[in-house]
Amino acid sequence: MTCVFVQIRCNPGKTYAVADAIYEREIASELYSTSGDYDLLMKLYIPSEEDVGKFINDHLLTIEGISRSLTTLTFKAF
């Protein structure tokens, strides 16, 4: 499994709807509301055999109300 963090910027007034849609898809390990440039921070685990970009594109970025995302890949936990 690959641990990935995704910051999500939502269209104005859509943050709660986007968060609900993410939880309905059951892809997030953890999901937080954040301050700053992005509205949500999501931690997810992607199966090793899956392409990270395709997984995020197919399972996350099809949610209405997302205007931008920033994905951070992880390599090692300390």
Side-chain angles (χ1 to χ4, degrees):
M1 297 289 256
T2 303
C3 178
V4 176
F5 291 89
V6 181
Q7 294 181 74
I8 302 163
R9 184 177 300 152
C10 302
N11 294 331
K14 297 294 184 183
T15 302
Y16 285 94
V18 169
D20 288 343
I22 290 170
Y23 269 117
E24 286 174 12
R25 293 181 183 206
E26 298 181 352
I27 58 172
S29 170
E30 299 174 40
L31 183 64
Y32 299 94
S33 175
T34 60
S35 63
D37 290 336
Y38 291 86
D39 302 299
L40 298 169
L41 174 64
M42 179 176 68
K43 179 181 179 182
L44 69 150
Y45 292 93
I46 299 176
S48 300
E49 64 276 1
E50 294 273 350
D51 178 88
V52 173
K54 182 163 178 28
F55 184 92
I56 290 171
N57 190 61
D58 292 348
H59 294 90
L60 178 67
L61 299 182
T62 55
I63 295 172
E64 188 175 330
I66 295 177
S67 64
R68 187 172 184 88
S69 68
L70 175 66
T71 302
T72 302
L73 302 175
T74 63
F75 302 106
K76 181 177 178 175
F78 293 96

